[in-house]
Amino acid sequence: RIQHQMHAAAIWPKKTAIKTLKDARLSAGLRQLDLANSLGKPQSYIAKIESGERKIDFIEVRIFASTSS
């Protein structure tokens, strides 16, 4: 049980961060393709980040967020 709680606590910030990034993109009226093009990446790059399939580092978060604002 404790191990499950620790795992859940570690996942929560990640899910919150991903949701925040996606919400920022949507608030800016951008499609995944629009954001990907502005970053010089394929659309699948954004899709994988937003689905949690691909990890994103701090520098990428800053670039992602600044492009969405």
Side-chain angles (χ1 to χ4, degrees), residues 45-63:
Y45 171 83
I46 304 300
K48 288 178 181 179
I49 289 171
E50 291 183 355
S51 71
E53 183 180 336
R54 184 189 182 288
K55 292 182 180 180
I56 183 170
D57 67 30
F58 178 73
I59 300 299
E60 290 174 317
V61 168
R62 291 193 51 139
I63 294 168

PDB file of all heavy atoms in Angstrom, residues 45-63:
ATOM      1  N   TYR A  45       5.566  14.084 -31.916  1.00  0.00           N
ATOM      2  CA  TYR A  45       6.367  14.516 -30.767  1.00  0.00           C
ATOM      3  C   TYR A  45       5.455  15.127 -29.697  1.00  0.00           C
ATOM      4  O   TYR A  45       5.528  14.771 -28.526  1.00  0.00           O
ATOM      5  CB  TYR A  45       7.403  15.525 -31.250  1.00  0.00           C
ATOM      6  CG  TYR A  45       8.188  16.260 -30.186  1.00  0.00           C
ATOM      7  CD1 TYR A  45       9.311  15.686 -29.606  1.00  0.00           C
ATOM      8  CD2 TYR A  45       7.829  17.540 -29.789  1.00  0.00           C
ATOM      9  CE1 TYR A  45      10.043  16.375 -28.652  1.00  0.00           C
ATOM     10  CE2 TYR A  45       8.561  18.232 -28.847  1.00  0.00           C
ATOM     11  CZ  TYR A  45       9.663  17.638 -28.273  1.00  0.00           C
ATOM     12  OH  TYR A  45      10.400  18.323 -27.327  1.00  0.00           O
ATOM     13  N   ILE A  46       4.558  16.011 -30.110  1.00  0.00           N
ATOM     14  CA  ILE A  46       3.626  16.649 -29.177  1.00  0.00           C
ATOM     15  C   ILE A  46       2.629  15.622 -28.648  1.00  0.00           C
ATOM     16  O   ILE A  46       2.334  15.591 -27.454  1.00  0.00           O
ATOM     17  CB  ILE A  46       2.880  17.831 -29.850  1.00  0.00           C
ATOM     18  CG1 ILE A  46       3.878  18.855 -30.412  1.00  0.00           C
ATOM     19  CG2 ILE A  46       1.892  18.475 -28.880  1.00  0.00           C
ATOM     20  CD1 ILE A  46       4.811  19.475 -29.408  1.00  0.00           C
ATOM     21  N   ALA A  47       2.117  14.790 -29.532  1.00  0.00           N
ATOM     22  CA  ALA A  47       1.144  13.771 -29.120  1.00  0.00           C
ATOM     23  C   ALA A  47       1.732  12.842 -28.059  1.00  0.00           C
ATOM     24  O   ALA A  47       1.067  12.511 -27.073  1.00  0.00           O
ATOM     25  CB  ALA A  47       0.681  12.962 -30.326  1.00  0.00           C
ATOM     26  N   LYS A  48       2.971  12.434 -28.244  1.00  0.00           N
ATOM     27  CA  LYS A  48       3.610  11.526 -27.281  1.00  0.00           C
ATOM     28  C   LYS A  48       3.872  12.214 -25.952  1.00  0.00           C
ATOM     29  O   LYS A  48       3.739  11.587 -24.896  1.00  0.00           O
ATOM     30  CB  LYS A  48       4.902  10.960 -27.867  1.00  0.00           C
ATOM     31  CG  LYS A  48       4.641   9.947 -28.956  1.00  0.00           C
ATOM     32  CD  LYS A  48       5.922   9.421 -29.564  1.00  0.00           C
ATOM     33  CE  LYS A  48       5.610   8.432 -30.675  1.00  0.00           C
ATOM     34  NZ  LYS A  48       6.827   7.924 -31.311  1.00  0.00           N
ATOM     35  N   ILE A  49       4.220  13.483 -25.965  1.00  0.00           N
ATOM     36  CA  ILE A  49       4.398  14.221 -24.711  1.00  0.00           C
ATOM     37  C   ILE A  49       3.064  14.312 -23.979  1.00  0.00           C
ATOM     38  O   ILE A  49       2.972  14.016 -22.785  1.00  0.00           O
ATOM     39  CB  ILE A  49       4.965  15.633 -24.972  1.00  0.00           C
ATOM     40  CG1 ILE A  49       6.423  15.542 -25.423  1.00  0.00           C
ATOM     41  CG2 ILE A  49       4.834  16.509 -23.720  1.00  0.00           C
ATOM     42  CD1 ILE A  49       7.006  16.849 -25.919  1.00  0.00           C
ATOM     43  N   GLU A  50       2.024  14.709 -24.693  1.00  0.00           N
ATOM     44  CA  GLU A  50       0.718  14.907 -24.072  1.00  0.00           C
ATOM     45  C   GLU A  50       0.082  13.603 -23.592  1.00  0.00           C
ATOM     46  O   GLU A  50      -0.722  13.618 -22.660  1.00  0.00           O
ATOM     47  CB  GLU A  50      -0.218  15.650 -25.019  1.00  0.00           C
ATOM     48  CG  GLU A  50       0.207  17.095 -25.220  1.00  0.00           C
ATOM     49  CD  GLU A  50      -0.732  17.881 -26.106  1.00  0.00           C
ATOM     50  OE1 GLU A  50      -1.693  17.299 -26.670  1.00  0.00           O
ATOM     51  OE2 GLU A  50      -0.510  19.103 -26.249  1.00  0.00           O
ATOM     52  N   SER A  51       0.452  12.485 -24.195  1.00  0.00           N
ATOM     53  CA  SER A  51      -0.095  11.199 -23.751  1.00  0.00           C
ATOM     54  C   SER A  51       0.745  10.592 -22.631  1.00  0.00           C
ATOM     55  O   SER A  51       0.353   9.588 -22.043  1.00  0.00           O
ATOM     56  CB  SER A  51      -0.154  10.213 -24.924  1.00  0.00           C
ATOM     57  OG  SER A  51       1.159   9.800 -25.291  1.00  0.00           O
ATOM     58  N   GLY A  52       1.903  11.189 -22.353  1.00  0.00           N
ATOM     59  CA  GLY A  52       2.788  10.654 -21.324  1.00  0.00           C
ATOM     60  C   GLY A  52       3.713   9.570 -21.822  1.00  0.00           C
ATOM     61  O   GLY A  52       4.480   8.990 -21.057  1.00  0.00           O
ATOM     62  N   GLU A  53       3.661   9.301 -23.115  1.00  0.00           N
ATOM     63  CA  GLU A  53       4.501   8.255 -23.714  1.00  0.00           C
ATOM     64  C   GLU A  53       5.960   8.698 -23.827  1.00  0.00           C
ATOM     65  O   GLU A  53       6.867   7.891 -23.761  1.00  0.00           O
ATOM     66  CB  GLU A  53       3.950   7.915 -25.096  1.00  0.00           C
ATOM     67  CG  GLU A  53       4.661   6.796 -25.804  1.00  0.00           C
ATOM     68  CD  GLU A  53       4.057   6.501 -27.164  1.00  0.00           C
ATOM     69  OE1 GLU A  53       2.865   6.810 -27.399  1.00  0.00           O
ATOM     70  OE2 GLU A  53       4.796   5.962 -28.004  1.00  0.00           O
ATOM     71  N   ARG A  54       6.163   9.998 -23.987  1.00  0.00           N
ATOM     72  CA  ARG A  54       7.516  10.534 -24.120  1.00  0.00           C
ATOM     73  C   ARG A  54       7.802  11.457 -22.953  1.00  0.00           C
ATOM     74  O   ARG A  54       6.991  12.304 -22.594  1.00  0.00           O
ATOM     75  CB  ARG A  54       7.644  11.343 -25.415  1.00  0.00           C
ATOM     76  CG  ARG A  54       9.048  11.847 -25.669  1.00  0.00           C
ATOM     77  CD  ARG A  54       9.083  12.827 -26.845  1.00  0.00           C
ATOM     78  NE  ARG A  54      10.415  13.288 -27.123  1.00  0.00           N
ATOM     79  CZ  ARG A  54      11.106  14.135 -26.357  1.00  0.00           C
ATOM     80  NH1 ARG A  54      10.588  14.597 -25.251  1.00  0.00           N
ATOM     81  NH2 ARG A  54      12.319  14.508 -26.699  1.00  0.00           N
ATOM     82  N   LYS A  55       8.972  11.283 -22.355  1.00  0.00           N
ATOM     83  CA  LYS A  55       9.382  12.161 -21.265  1.00  0.00           C
ATOM     84  C   LYS A  55       9.812  13.503 -21.846  1.00  0.00           C
ATOM     85  O   LYS A  55      10.257  13.591 -22.978  1.00  0.00           O
ATOM     86  CB  LYS A  55      10.540  11.547 -20.485  1.00  0.00           C
ATOM     87  CG  LYS A  55      10.141  10.319 -19.710  1.00  0.00           C
ATOM     88  CD  LYS A  55      11.312   9.785 -18.917  1.00  0.00           C
ATOM     89  CE  LYS A  55      10.886   8.559 -18.152  1.00  0.00           C
ATOM     90  NZ  LYS A  55      11.980   8.007 -17.360  1.00  0.00           N
ATOM     91  N   ILE A  56       9.669  14.516 -21.041  1.00  0.00           N
ATOM     92  CA  ILE A  56      10.047  15.863 -21.461  1.00  0.00           C
ATOM     93  C   ILE A  56      10.923  16.456 -20.364  1.00  0.00           C
ATOM     94  O   ILE A  56      10.604  16.341 -19.181  1.00  0.00           O
ATOM     95  CB  ILE A  56       8.783  16.712 -21.738  1.00  0.00           C
ATOM     96  CG1 ILE A  56       9.144  18.091 -22.246  1.00  0.00           C
ATOM     97  CG2 ILE A  56       7.867  16.769 -20.573  1.00  0.00           C
ATOM     98  CD1 ILE A  56       7.960  18.896 -22.770  1.00  0.00           C
ATOM     99  N   ASP A  57      12.035  17.051 -20.747  1.00  0.00           N
ATOM    100  CA  ASP A  57      12.917  17.620 -19.731  1.00  0.00           C
ATOM    101  C   ASP A  57      12.574  19.088 -19.490  1.00  0.00           C
ATOM    102  O   ASP A  57      11.742  19.684 -20.185  1.00  0.00           O
ATOM    103  CB  ASP A  57      14.398  17.426 -20.075  1.00  0.00           C
ATOM    104  CG  ASP A  57      14.860  18.196 -21.298  1.00  0.00           C
ATOM    105  OD1 ASP A  57      14.315  19.276 -21.591  1.00  0.00           O
ATOM    106  OD2 ASP A  57      15.801  17.731 -21.959  1.00  0.00           O
ATOM    107  N   PHE A  58      13.213  19.681 -18.509  1.00  0.00           N
ATOM    108  CA  PHE A  58      12.894  21.041 -18.092  1.00  0.00           C
ATOM    109  C   PHE A  58      13.067  22.051 -19.223  1.00  0.00           C
ATOM    110  O   PHE A  58      12.222  22.935 -19.409  1.00  0.00           O
ATOM    111  CB  PHE A  58      13.773  21.433 -16.894  1.00  0.00           C
ATOM    112  CG  PHE A  58      13.541  22.835 -16.432  1.00  0.00           C
ATOM    113  CD1 PHE A  58      12.374  23.172 -15.756  1.00  0.00           C
ATOM    114  CD2 PHE A  58      14.468  23.827 -16.673  1.00  0.00           C
ATOM    115  CE1 PHE A  58      12.151  24.469 -15.336  1.00  0.00           C
ATOM    116  CE2 PHE A  58      14.253  25.126 -16.251  1.00  0.00           C
ATOM    117  CZ  PHE A  58      13.091  25.441 -15.573  1.00  0.00           C
ATOM    118  N   ILE A  59      14.131  21.935 -19.972  1.00  0.00           N
ATOM    119  CA  ILE A  59      14.376  22.873 -21.075  1.00  0.00           C
ATOM    120  C   ILE A  59      13.260  22.763 -22.110  1.00  0.00           C
ATOM    121  O   ILE A  59      12.750  23.774 -22.610  1.00  0.00           O
ATOM    122  CB  ILE A  59      15.750  22.610 -21.744  1.00  0.00           C
ATOM    123  CG1 ILE A  59      16.877  22.776 -20.716  1.00  0.00           C
ATOM    124  CG2 ILE A  59      15.960  23.510 -22.954  1.00  0.00           C
ATOM    125  CD1 ILE A  59      16.981  24.150 -20.097  1.00  0.00           C
ATOM    126  N   GLU A  60      12.857  21.538 -22.421  1.00  0.00           N
ATOM    127  CA  GLU A  60      11.766  21.344 -23.383  1.00  0.00           C
ATOM    128  C   GLU A  60      10.464  21.931 -22.847  1.00  0.00           C
ATOM    129  O   GLU A  60       9.681  22.495 -23.616  1.00  0.00           O
ATOM    130  CB  GLU A  60      11.590  19.865 -23.699  1.00  0.00           C
ATOM    131  CG  GLU A  60      12.722  19.281 -24.508  1.00  0.00           C
ATOM    132  CD  GLU A  60      12.610  17.784 -24.683  1.00  0.00           C
ATOM    133  OE1 GLU A  60      12.286  17.082 -23.696  1.00  0.00           O
ATOM    134  OE2 GLU A  60      12.839  17.313 -25.803  1.00  0.00           O
ATOM    135  N   VAL A  61      10.223  21.803 -21.547  1.00  0.00           N
ATOM    136  CA  VAL A  61       9.008  22.373 -20.952  1.00  0.00           C
ATOM    137  C   VAL A  61       8.992  23.877 -21.166  1.00  0.00           C
ATOM    138  O   VAL A  61       7.976  24.453 -21.562  1.00  0.00           O
ATOM    139  CB  VAL A  61       8.910  22.044 -19.441  1.00  0.00           C
ATOM    140  CG1 VAL A  61       7.815  22.873 -18.766  1.00  0.00           C
ATOM    141  CG2 VAL A  61       8.659  20.564 -19.233  1.00  0.00           C
ATOM    142  N   ARG A  62      10.120  24.526 -20.930  1.00  0.00           N
ATOM    143  CA  ARG A  62      10.200  25.985 -21.104  1.00  0.00           C
ATOM    144  C   ARG A  62       9.950  26.380 -22.562  1.00  0.00           C
ATOM    145  O   ARG A  62       9.235  27.345 -22.837  1.00  0.00           O
ATOM    146  CB  ARG A  62      11.542  26.503 -20.620  1.00  0.00           C
ATOM    147  CG  ARG A  62      11.676  26.386 -19.111  1.00  0.00           C
ATOM    148  CD  ARG A  62      12.817  27.147 -18.602  1.00  0.00           C
ATOM    149  NE  ARG A  62      12.754  28.507 -19.119  1.00  0.00           N
ATOM    150  CZ  ARG A  62      13.023  29.585 -18.437  1.00  0.00           C
ATOM    151  NH1 ARG A  62      13.403  29.480 -17.204  1.00  0.00           N
ATOM    152  NH2 ARG A  62      12.975  30.782 -18.982  1.00  0.00           N
ATOM    153  N   ILE A  63      10.543  25.645 -23.492  1.00  0.00           N
ATOM    154  CA  ILE A  63      10.349  25.947 -24.916  1.00  0.00           C
ATOM    155  C   ILE A  63       8.895  25.711 -25.303  1.00  0.00           C
ATOM    156  O   ILE A  63       8.260  26.541 -25.968  1.00  0.00           O
ATOM    157  CB  ILE A  63      11.300  25.103 -25.789  1.00  0.00           C
ATOM    158  CG1 ILE A  63      12.748  25.527 -25.522  1.00  0.00           C
ATOM    159  CG2 ILE A  63      10.947  25.218 -27.262  1.00  0.00           C
ATOM    160  CD1 ILE A  63      13.778  24.573 -26.101  1.00  0.00           C
TER     161      ILE A  63
END
